[in-house]
Amino acid sequence: MILLIYEYRRDGWYEGIFRKLKFNYSDNLINFLEKAIPAIISYYGESSCETVLKTFANCEIHIQEENEDTSQYLNKFFCKNEDTSIPFLAGAFYNNGISIKDNNIITKPLIYIKTVYSHQYKPFNLDDDESLDSLLHEILHAIKEYGKVKVKDNKIFTSTGLNQSVYSYDDFGNIKEEANNYIGIEEAFNVAATSSILSMITGREQKFRGYSSAGYLANAMLSNQKLEAVIKNSQLSGDTTWIQYFGDSSEQIIKSFDILINMMYLSQKEVINRELRMKKIEDARLAREFLESFITMHCNWQFNFSERKPR
């Protein structure tokens, strides 16, 4: 694996990815990415090498400057005029920048790293595991969407790992989302991947950050080697083989991961109203129990419940 990477470096392609003037990355960011690339390829397999390298060659990573307005920057980058914002809880944001021009599809991928929270500037720290986790999580999303955008029957189809999305568009180039499926299960396996890959990079055991409970359970599922191979292959290819592999349990597995992920996004009404809040908590408990039961039956995993997060 490492020899393959160094072959690309000798050809000038691999090293040139980060030293392109249009990206102008700092030495610290370049050093992190040079450690991240072989770790990502090791995790997903040698067949992912070209996709990984081409993603970094095409997807810019931008770290917010102290006085930079996020909405203004994103509108300028994507050539739009919208009220664009990043979810408050997000430390980083990935967007493939899909647009239509002269009936041709264009993508302009970007990973945007936030440094301003509630008007307070917090410099991005490449020595901080939590910050690296946030960046790596979005990098993995970008890798899994690379080359997946297709147009068929006046619809745009794309996949980000297991997540499948469909958009419609009109003659003026306006794009509207029509379907966005399997978000929860993709986020869960992305959290598991992020933790594993960051452990390789840093040499330290990493937490399951963000969607912690879902990530922990997804990681447990990957102890089944056949399932691990199916999931990783589907994430990179964009197919739905993984649904058939889960068989009769697929619908409930998908639903359960959606429930756990959505616990991060309770509405104000659900937080304030005790009855609604308790209903969400009970739904999450049942979702965890179902997934734990499936894992116990089908995966080589012993649960350590002290590790499991309540979310």
Side-chain angles (χ1 to χ4, degrees):
M1 194 70 60
I2 299 300
L3 290 176
L4 181 60
I5 293 297
Y6 284 134
E7 283 176 10
Y8 280 114
R9 290 192 65 171
R10 284 197 297 270
D11 289 341
W13 179 25
Y14 172 63
E15 190 157 5
I17 286 173
F18 307 119
R19 307 218 177 252
K20 284 183 176 180
L21 292 176
K22 69 174 184 177
F23 288 165
N24 194 30
Y25 292 159
S26 68
D27 288 341
N28 286 340
L29 179 55
I30 291 170
N31 290 338
F32 168 72
L33 296 177
E34 288 178 340
K35 295 174 184 175
I37 283 182
I40 294 169
I41 294 171
S42 176
Y43 183 84
Y44 285 108
E46 189 171 329
S47 62
S48 70
C49 183
E50 184 176 355
T51 298
V52 171
L53 292 174
K54 286 186 175 180
T55 299
F56 283 112
N58 288 280
C59 180
E60 181 174 353
I61 299 170
H62 175 77
I63 300 174
Q64 183 183 17
E65 297 179 2
E66 183 172 359
N67 297 316
E68 178 179 290
D69 180 273
T70 299
S71 184
Q72 288 181 6
Y73 180 88
L74 294 176
N75 278 330
K76 182 178 179 181
F77 185 89
F78 293 121
C79 301
K80 294 182 178 180
N81 185 21
E82 300 174 353
D83 183 16
T84 309
S85 61
I86 296 176
F88 178 77
L89 293 175
F93 160 86
Y94 161 70
N95 191 307
N96 203 14
I98 299 173
S99 61
I100 296 288
K101 185 175 182 180
D102 299 328
N103 213 33
N104 293 315
I105 192 160
I106 300 169
T107 61
K108 192 179 183 183
L110 173 72
I111 293 171
Y112 186 96
I113 301 171
K114 277 191 354 182
T115 59
V116 179
Y117 299 85
S118 300
H119 306 290
Q120 295 294 316
Y121 176 64
K122 181 183 177 183
F124 187 74
N125 184 1
L126 282 158
D127 294 319
D128 174 62
D129 286 356
E130 188 170 349
S131 297
L132 294 179
D133 185 285
S134 181
L135 169 58
L136 183 58
H137 184 93
E138 301 306 321
I139 286 172
L140 298 184
H141 280 318
I143 289 169
K144 287 178 283 186
E145 191 174 17
Y146 179 81
K148 302 297 191 306
V149 182
K150 311 291 182 187
V151 176
K152 182 180 179 182
D153 299 329
N154 294 320
K155 303 284 186 184
I156 301 171
F157 298 84
T158 186
S159 64
T160 308
L162 307 182
N163 175 214
Q164 304 270 335
S165 300
V166 182
Y167 302 87
S168 59
Y169 63 94
D170 60 25
D171 293 338
F172 301 100
N174 299 309
I175 297 174
K176 181 180 178 181
E177 181 181 276
E178 291 198 351
N180 195 5
N181 299 319
Y182 317 129
I183 300 174
I185 193 167
E186 169 55 28
E187 287 292 352
F189 280 106
N190 203 50
V191 168
T194 301
S195 175
S196 295
I197 294 168
L198 191 56
S199 295
M200 295 184 217
I201 295 169
T202 63
R204 297 183 293 274
E205 185 176 354
Q206 297 292 327
K207 301 175 182 177
F208 299 105
R209 294 182 173 89
Y211 310 113
S212 52
S213 179
Y216 174 78
L217 292 164
N219 187 64
M221 280 189 176
L222 295 177
S223 63
N224 180 320
Q225 292 184 347
K226 290 183 179 180
L227 176 57
E228 177 188 26
V230 169
I231 291 293
K232 290 181 179 179
N233 180 70
S234 288
Q235 285 182 309
L236 292 174
S237 68
D239 68 28
T240 55
T241 304
W242 61 276
I243 298 177
Q244 287 75 42
Y245 190 88
F246 281 128
D248 293 340
S249 300
S250 62
E251 184 175 345
Q252 189 60 38
I253 288 171
I254 292 165
K255 180 181 177 181
S256 296
F257 275 119
D258 279 342
I259 290 170
L260 295 180
I261 295 300
N262 287 333
M263 284 295 288
M264 288 282 290
Y265 304 102
L266 296 182
S267 66
Q268 185 177 12
K269 182 179 180 180
E270 289 166 333
V271 171
I272 294 173
N273 186 299
R274 185 179 185 278
E275 184 177 349
L276 292 176
R277 186 174 71 253
M278 296 306 295
K279 173 66 165 58
K280 289 289 184 178
I281 292 172
E282 177 63 10
D283 288 345
R285 184 187 68 80
L286 293 174
R288 283 197 301 268
E289 286 186 355
F290 173 81
L291 292 171
E292 287 165 1
S293 176
F294 178 89
I295 291 164
T296 300
M297 290 179 61
H298 300 285
C299 305
N300 182 27
W301 187 265
Q302 291 292 323
F303 280 104
N304 178 1
F305 291 102
S306 65
E307 295 179 355
R308 194 180 71 189
K309 304 297 180 184
R311 276 203 293 263

